[in-house]
C-alpha cells in the first residue's frame, strides 16, 4: 500500500519529536542525577549533626527528581484520572500501597499521580525489582533507601529477611511514611499464564487482568511496621518501632491502574512520547490496617480478595470506560489529577542551573589541583 505524503509527514514528525524528547531526557539525567548526588555529598556534615533535616532535604530533592520523570509524560499528554477514595486524607499517615503491575510505565504513573499528595513522594519507600538498581535512577534509589528485591524461589526466603532488616534500619530513621509494592511479583503478561495454572490447580478464581499476588513482602511489612496496640501487640506481629512517637502503619491503600483498551504505557513510550495522548485511570480503596488479618492463611485470603476485586474493577472499566461506583452509591466520581507547568519548568530550570554550577565548581577545583 502506497504511503501518502501526509502519512510520511506524520511519521517524520513523530520520529523527530521522539528524538528531541530522548535528547532532552538524556540531558535532564546528566544534570539532575549528578546534582542530586553532589548536593547530598556536600550536606554530609548536616547528616551527622541533624539527621532529620538532612533526610528532609533529601526528600525534597527526591520529589523534584520524580517530578522531572512525571513531566516527560505530562508534556506528552499522558495524564491521570483518579477514582475511589481520596488518599490525600491519609497523606500524612503511614500507609502500604498495593499496586497491580502491567508495565514499566506503572511506576511513572505513580510518580505523576502522587506528586500532589502532600509529603507522600518525599517520604515514600519503593520496593522494586533488583534490575532497577542498574538503571540511571538506581543511584538515586540506593541513596533514598528504596529496597531492591530479587525475584525467584531460590532467593525468596533470603530476600524477605533482607527486607525486614532494611525496614528496621532505614524506614523510620529516614522518616518514611508510605511504602509502595507490586505484590504480583512481575508484569501481568509474564505471570498471567503461570498464575492461571496455579489458580486452576488450587481451585481459585480465573483472573485475566491481574495475577494472584504473593504474600511474602506484604507480610514482612505488616509484621515490621505495625505498632503494638494499647492492650499488646497484635497476634503474630513481630513489630519493631524504634521511633516511639510514630503511630506506625495505619492504612493499606489498594491501588488499581487501568489503561484504555488494556494497553499499558511502558517507559520507552513515556520517554519518547510517540503514543497519542492517553488518560490513565487510577482507583484507590483505603483499608484500616486493624482490619487486615495477621495470620498467614487469613492474610493470604484477604490479599487474594483484593486482587479478585481488582479483576472485577478492571473488567468493568474495560467494558464501560469507567470504574464502578462504590457500594451503596449510584455514580462513581472521578477526579482529574493536574500538575503545574510553571512548577515543572521551575524544577527543570533548577536542575540545569545546578548542573552548570557543579560543572563550574568541579572545573575550578580541577584547575587548582592540576
Amino acid at each position: 500500500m502506497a504511503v501518502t505524503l501526509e502519512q510520511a509527514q506524520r511519521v517524520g514528525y513523530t520520529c523527530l519529536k521522539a528524538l528531541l524528547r530522548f535528547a532532552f531526557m538524556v540531558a535532564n539525567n546528566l544534570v539532575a542525577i549528578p546534582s542530586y548526588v553532589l548536593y547530598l555529598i556536600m550536606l554530609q556534615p548536616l547528616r551527622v549533626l541533624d539527621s532529620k533535616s538532612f533526610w528532609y532535604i533529601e526528600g525534597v530533592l527526591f520529589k523534584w527528581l520524580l517530578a522531572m520523570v512525571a513531566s516527560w509524560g505530562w508534556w506528552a499528554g499522558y495524564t491521570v484520572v483518579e477514582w475511589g477514595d481520596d488518599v490525600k486524607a491519609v497523606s500524612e499517615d503511614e500507609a502500604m500501597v498495593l499496586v497491580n503491575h502491567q508495565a514499566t510505565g506503572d511506576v511513572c504513573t505513580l510518580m505523576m499521580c502522587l506528586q500532589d499528595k502532600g509529603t507522600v513522594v518525599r517520604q515514600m519507600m519503593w520496593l522494586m525489582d533488583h534490575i532497577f538498581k542498574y538503571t540511571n535512577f538506581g543511584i538515586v534509589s540506593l541513596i533514598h533507601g528504596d529496597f531492591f528485591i530479587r525475584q525467584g524461589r531460590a532467593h525468596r526466603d533470603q530476600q524477605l529477611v533482607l527486607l525486614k532488616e532494611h525496614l528496621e534500619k532505614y524506614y523510620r530513621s529516614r522518616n518514611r511514611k508510605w511504602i509502595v509494592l507490586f505484590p504480583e511479583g512481575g508484569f501481568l503478561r509474564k505471570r498471567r499464564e503461570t498464575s492461571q495454572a496455579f489458580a486452576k490447580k488450587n481451585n481459585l478464581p480465573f483472573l485475566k487482568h491481574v495475577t494472584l499476588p504473593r504474600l511474602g513482602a506484604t507480610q514482612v511489612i505488616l509484621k515490621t511496621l505495625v505498632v503494638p496496640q494499647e492492650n499488646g501487640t497484635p497476634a503474630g506481629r513481630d513489630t519493631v518501632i524504634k521511633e516511639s512517637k510514630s503511630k506506625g502503619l495505619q492504612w493499606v491503600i489498594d491501588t488499581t491502574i487501568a489503561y484504555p483498551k488494556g494497553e499499558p504505557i511502558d517507559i520507552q513510550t513515556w520517554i519518547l512520547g510517540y503514543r497519542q495522548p492517553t488518560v490513565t485511570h487510577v482507583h484507590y480503596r483505603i483499608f484500616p490496617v486493624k482490619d487486615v488479618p495477621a495470620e498467614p492463611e487469613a492474610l493470604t485470603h484477604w490479599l487474594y480478595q483484593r486482587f479478585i476485586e481488582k479483576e472485577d474493577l478492571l473488567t468493568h472499566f474495560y467494558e464501560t470506560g469507567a470504574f464502578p461506583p462504590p457500594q451503596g452509591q449510584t455514580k462513581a466520581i472521578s477526579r482529574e489529577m493536574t500538575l503545574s507547568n510553571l512548577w515543572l519548568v521551575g524544577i527543570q530550570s533548577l536542575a540545569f542551573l545546578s548542573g552548570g554550577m557543579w560543572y563550574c565548581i568541579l572545573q575550578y577545583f580541577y584547575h587548582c589541583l592540576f
Side-chain angles (χ1 to χ4, degrees):
M1 188 175 78
V3 178
T4 66
L5 178 61
E6 183 180 352
Q7 289 174 326
Q9 289 176 334
R10 189 182 303 118
V11 171
Y13 171 74
T14 301
C15 291
L16 177 62
K17 183 177 72 171
L19 182 62
L20 291 174
R21 283 176 59 88
F22 181 74
F24 176 78
M25 185 277 295
V26 171
N28 202 179
N29 276 268
L30 288 175
V31 296
I33 293 177
S35 293
Y36 166 88
V37 174
L38 289 168
Y39 276 127
L40 295 182
I41 290 174
M42 182 184 70
L43 290 171
Q44 285 304 303
L46 178 64
R47 183 177 181 179
V48 176
L49 298 172
D50 187 352
S51 177
K52 185 176 180 180
S53 295
F54 173 85
W55 289 113
Y56 175 88
I57 296 171
E58 185 279 332
V60 171
L61 295 175
F62 183 79
K63 179 177 181 176
W64 290 353
L65 284 177
L66 267 58
M68 292 177 201
V69 176
S71 72
W72 305 340
W74 181 257
W75 288 334
Y78 305 147
T79 57
V80 172
V81 166
E82 298 177 309
W83 304 74
D85 296 332
D86 185 359
V87 296
K88 287 183 181 179
V90 298
S91 62
E92 298 301 317
D93 299 333
E94 289 189 25
M96 175 173 63
V97 184
L98 307 176
V99 193
N100 62 313
H101 208 8
Q102 300 175 68
T104 48
D106 298 341
V107 175
C108 300
T109 296
L110 290 173
M111 288 180 177
M112 174 186 287
C113 65
L114 296 179
Q115 282 291 325
D116 66 344
K117 306 299 187 293
T119 62
V120 164
V121 174
R122 67 176 178 84
Q123 292 182 292
M124 73 194 312
M125 178 181 286
W126 297 75
L127 265 65
M128 59 188 77
D129 192 280
H130 79 287
I131 197 67
F132 286 101
K133 186 188 297 185
Y134 307 105
T135 65
N136 59 315
F137 211 77
I139 183 64
V140 174
S141 290
L142 281 169
I143 294 172
H144 184 69
D146 296 329
F147 183 77
F148 299 95
I149 192 163
R150 185 180 292 272
Q151 303 293 343
R153 186 176 299 176
H155 307 286
R156 193 168 300 160
D157 292 341
Q158 181 194 29
Q159 290 299 297
L160 295 179
V161 172
L162 292 174
L163 173 59
K164 184 176 187 299
E165 293 174 351
H166 185 89
L167 293 173
E168 292 172 351
K169 185 175 182 181
Y170 297 118
Y171 191 80
R172 290 203 167 84
S173 67
R174 299 186 181 184
N175 195 29
R176 300 294 173 242
K177 291 289 186 70
W178 282 27
I179 183 165
V180 181
L181 68 154
F182 301 90
E184 291 166 292
F187 298 138
L188 174 64
R189 68 179 187 276
K190 293 183 177 180
R191 291 207 63 246
R192 179 160 41 200
E193 187 176 336
T194 303
S195 176
Q196 290 172 346
F198 178 83
K200 183 177 181 180
K201 183 179 178 180
N202 292 276
N203 197 29
L204 294 167
F206 183 86
L207 307 177
K208 293 171 54 181
H209 306 306
V210 294
T211 65
L212 290 170
R214 293 170 176 172
L215 177 68
T218 304
Q219 187 176 31
V220 168
I221 291 168
L222 290 171
K223 280 187 174 183
T224 309
L225 299 183
V226 175
V227 300
Q229 296 175 347
E230 291 182 3
N231 60 346
T233 303
R237 300 204 171 174
D238 181 20
T239 310
V240 177
I241 303 294
K242 294 185 178 179
E243 303 293 333
S244 59
K245 292 183 180 179
S246 171
K247 295 179 181 179
L249 199 69
Q250 295 174 266
W251 310 99
V252 175
I253 302 174
D254 187 28
T255 304
T256 304
I257 298 176
Y259 299 95
K261 300 180 182 179
E263 299 174 354
I265 298 176
D266 55 28
I267 187 65
Q268 297 94 325
T269 305
W270 194 270
I271 293 170
L272 300 177
Y274 49 77
R275 182 167 166 175
Q276 291 298 309
T278 301
V279 179
T280 301
H281 297 257
V282 181
H283 183 279
Y284 306 105
R285 189 176 177 197
I286 302 174
F287 295 87
V289 77
K290 64 182 178 60
D291 294 342
V292 180
E295 294 302 320
E297 186 175 344
L299 179 58
T300 300
H301 176 73
W302 185 90
L303 199 56
Y304 281 180
Q305 285 302 119
R306 301 290 72 77
F307 277 77
I308 292 168
E309 289 174 6
K310 286 180 185 292
E311 177 77 11
D312 294 338
L313 286 170
L314 290 168
T315 298
H316 189 280
F317 177 84
Y318 295 139
E319 290 174 354
T320 66
F323 283 113
Q327 190 173 7
Q329 298 183 23
T330 58
K331 185 178 180 181
I333 306 299
S334 63
R335 305 174 297 276
E336 186 176 350
M337 182 263 161
T338 61
L339 290 175
S340 166
N341 285 315
L342 182 62
W343 180 60
L344 294 176
V345 169
I347 291 172
Q348 294 285 7
S349 300
L350 179 62
F352 283 99
L353 288 171
S354 295
M357 178 193 74
W358 286 115
Y359 176 79
C360 292
I361 290 173
L362 293 174
Q363 281 284 93
Y364 172 78
F365 280 109
Y366 176 82
H367 288 302
C368 287
L369 294 172
F370 302 100

